[in-house]
């Protein structure tokens, strides 16, 4: 039986700021079975698709030999990112029709997964399935690995989080509070600042767009300095944070969304500050931390059920809304985890 399979494909490689017209919705069809001869393959009906800033890098064309975290998207083929789905058919012994899974999938209604090692069974279906695009999926693991494994928080540490109301930032702050830290976040609107204080338990927060000086804002919030800076934005915010790091401080470099669409990236002027105070600056890729996922999933599910962690989602309905949702990430249009509901 063949059914419709709409997909979001890349029309052209992107330079500078992406626009919706760089993508298009293409109508296709798919057979509701794994093609004959394909062993250990899984056909998934996608229920939710995750929108994440890291997709921007794959929309550009990189020269051979340039180090990139993942290969460029192919023009005319469906974009790829994490999603949540239900197994329709499988030739893999570990997956059966009806299983709920999350992992790498196409931006389409159905995806044939030929490398099912990227799929994970959902162990807590009693919680919202959409959480596996965010707080219980790659996004949550990113927050957990960054603050716990890389940042190594200690009770009483002063923690600063940029893009704090976003998919990763909202979880980072709550985990830091559980660890006994003093936590301040920055966000791009007064609405998001209020959310940080009232919903996510941040001790303080500020709207970076309305501050005359980022350095002054950080001095106000951290008169004694910062122990951990969880960096989601790079650029001017990273530069200002470096001025205020304490001795032995840690800068956890998770993302640099302020730089992704610039043809000429901003420079970092205050890097010299890391020398006298022995500050550790460490970038990380969540792909190197999937070995702790099982531990993370159980801990996070427990926090959610106990009310220690809450998640805010920004959900759009229908695959035709996916391009606009992705573009909106780069102007801060979303509030919380951005995702697309398909079914």
């Amino acid at each position: 039986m063949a059914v419709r399979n709409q997909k979001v494909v890349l029309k052209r490689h992107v330079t500078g700021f992406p626009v919706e017209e760089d993508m298009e919705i293409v109508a296709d069809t798919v057979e509701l079975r794994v093609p004959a001869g394909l062993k250990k393959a899984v056909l998934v009906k996608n229920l939710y698709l995750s929108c994440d800033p890291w997709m921007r890098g794959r929309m550009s064309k990189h020269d051979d030999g340039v180090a990139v975290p993942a290969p460029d998207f192919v023009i005319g083929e469906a974009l790829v990112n994490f999603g949540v789905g239900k197994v329709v058919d499988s030739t893999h012994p570990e997956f059966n029709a009806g299983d709920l899974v999350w992992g790498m999938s196409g931006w389409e209604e159905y995806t044939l997964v030929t490398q099912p090692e990227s799929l994970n069974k959902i162990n807590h279906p009693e919680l919202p399935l959409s959480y596996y695009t965010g707080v219980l999926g790659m996004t949550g693991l990113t927050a957990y690995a960054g603050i716990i494994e890389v940042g190594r928080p200690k009770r009483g540490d002063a923690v600063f989080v940029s893009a704090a109301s976003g998919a990763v930032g909202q979880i980072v702050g709550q985990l830091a509070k559980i660890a006994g830290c003093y936590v301040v976040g920055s966000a791009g609107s007064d609405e998001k600042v209020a959310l940080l204080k009232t919903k996510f338990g941040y001790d303080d927060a500020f709207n970076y767009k309305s501050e005359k000086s980022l350095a002054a804002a950080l001095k106000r919030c951290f008169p004694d300095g910062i122990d951990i800076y969880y960096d989601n934005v790079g650029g001017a915010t990273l530069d200002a944070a470096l001025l205020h790091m304490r001795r032995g401080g840690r800068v956890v470099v998770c993302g640099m969304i302020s730089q992704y669409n610039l043809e000429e990236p901003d420079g970092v002027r205050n890097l010299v500050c890391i020398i006298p105070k022995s500050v550790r600056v460490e970038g990380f890729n969540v792909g190197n931390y999937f070995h702790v996922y099982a531990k993370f999933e159980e801990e996070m599910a427990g926090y959610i059920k106990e009310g220690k962690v809450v998640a805010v989602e920004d959900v759009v309905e229908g695959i035709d809304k996916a391009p606009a949702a992705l573009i909106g990430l780069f102007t801060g249009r979303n509030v919380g985890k951005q995702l697309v509901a398909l079914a």
Side-chain angles (χ1 to χ4, degrees):
M1 177 181 176
V3 298
R4 183 190 71 174
N5 186 28
Q6 291 192 103
K7 55 184 67 180
V8 180
V9 306
L10 189 67
K11 287 175 61 177
R12 58 196 176 215
H13 286 120
V14 178
T15 57
F17 206 97
V19 294
E20 290 182 48
E21 290 72 25
D22 294 322
M23 297 164 274
E24 65 178 337
I25 310 298
V26 173
D28 201 353
T29 60
V30 63
E31 296 280 344
L32 293 183
R33 63 182 180 185
V34 174
L38 269 185
K39 296 181 179 179
K40 295 188 176 182
V42 179
L43 180 66
V44 175
K45 177 179 176 63
N46 292 314
L47 307 178
Y48 297 97
L49 302 177
S50 178
C51 290
D52 297 293
W54 80 283
M55 297 174 69
R56 170 61 186 86
R58 301 188 67 183
M59 297 174 76
S60 292
K61 179 66 176 176
H62 295 91
D63 296 330
D64 291 341
V66 175
V68 292
D72 303 337
F73 288 138
V74 177
I75 292 174
E77 292 187 4
L79 304 186
V80 177
N81 196 19
F82 292 91
V84 172
K86 187 174 184 177
V87 175
V88 176
D89 189 31
S90 172
T91 56
H92 195 290
E94 294 182 11
F95 297 96
N96 299 305
D99 285 348
L100 294 168
V101 296
W102 78 273
M104 198 62 75
S105 189
W107 266 33
E108 54 192 350
E109 294 176 284
Y110 293 86
T111 296
L112 179 65
V113 182
T114 56
Q115 296 179 313
E117 59 269 18
S118 67
L119 294 179
N120 305 271
K121 286 188 179 180
I122 287 177
N123 294 313
H124 290 279
E126 71 278 9
L127 294 172
L129 294 180
S130 58
Y131 279 11
Y132 280 87
T133 68
V135 61
L136 284 169
M138 183 274 291
T139 302
L141 181 61
T142 300
Y144 179 90
I147 190 65
I148 302 300
E149 300 286 332
V150 181
R152 303 170 195 167
K154 303 185 297 293
R155 181 167 295 277
D157 275 351
V159 178
F160 173 47
V161 185
S162 55
S165 68
V168 173
Q170 61 176 268
I171 307 304
V172 170
Q174 293 176 85
L175 291 175
K177 288 300 297 180
I178 290 171
C181 300
Y182 171 77
V183 187
V184 176
S186 64
S189 72
D190 292 341
E191 175 193 8
K192 292 178 180 180
V193 167
L195 194 66
L196 292 175
K197 296 178 180 180
T198 61
K199 188 80 171 180
F200 301 134
Y202 274 69
D203 294 293
D204 203 353
F206 62 87
N207 180 349
Y208 72 89
K209 292 182 179 178
S210 61
E211 295 287 344
K212 292 183 179 179
S213 166
L214 286 173
L218 291 175
K219 182 65 175 177
R220 182 180 72 240
C221 295
F222 297 99
D224 298 319
I226 301 167
D227 292 297
I228 301 174
Y229 170 40
Y230 196 105
D231 185 22
N232 288 305
V233 301
T237 305
L238 171 60
D239 223 23
L242 290 174
L243 290 171
H244 296 282
M245 298 304 296
R246 282 179 177 170
R247 181 172 296 279
R250 289 84 76 199
V251 178
V252 181
V253 185
C254 174
M256 292 193 174
I257 195 170
S258 73
Q259 306 298 297
Y260 294 160
N261 299 310
L262 302 180
E263 293 188 25
E264 189 67 38
D266 294 332
V268 179
R269 297 171 299 174
N270 296 322
L271 204 56
V272 69
C273 296
I274 71 175
I275 300 170
K277 295 182 179 179
S278 301
V279 174
R280 173 167 56 89
V281 180
E282 183 173 347
F284 78 99
N285 187 315
V286 68
N288 296 325
Y289 290 90
F290 272 88
H291 64 282
V292 302
Y293 178 76
K295 175 176 178 287
F296 153 79
E297 183 186 24
E298 291 310 307
E299 279 190 35
M300 186 60 74
Y303 291 149
I304 294 169
K305 292 176 182 179
E306 294 165 12
K308 293 181 178 179
V309 169
V310 296
V312 170
E313 298 177 322
D314 195 326
V315 185
V316 298
E317 302 275 348
I319 197 165
D320 58 311
K321 302 295 196 306
L326 178 60
I327 298 303
L329 293 177
F330 302 105
T331 58
R333 188 189 308 163
N334 61 300
V335 179
K337 170 61 188 178
Q338 183 70 69
L339 61 122
V340 183
L342 298 188

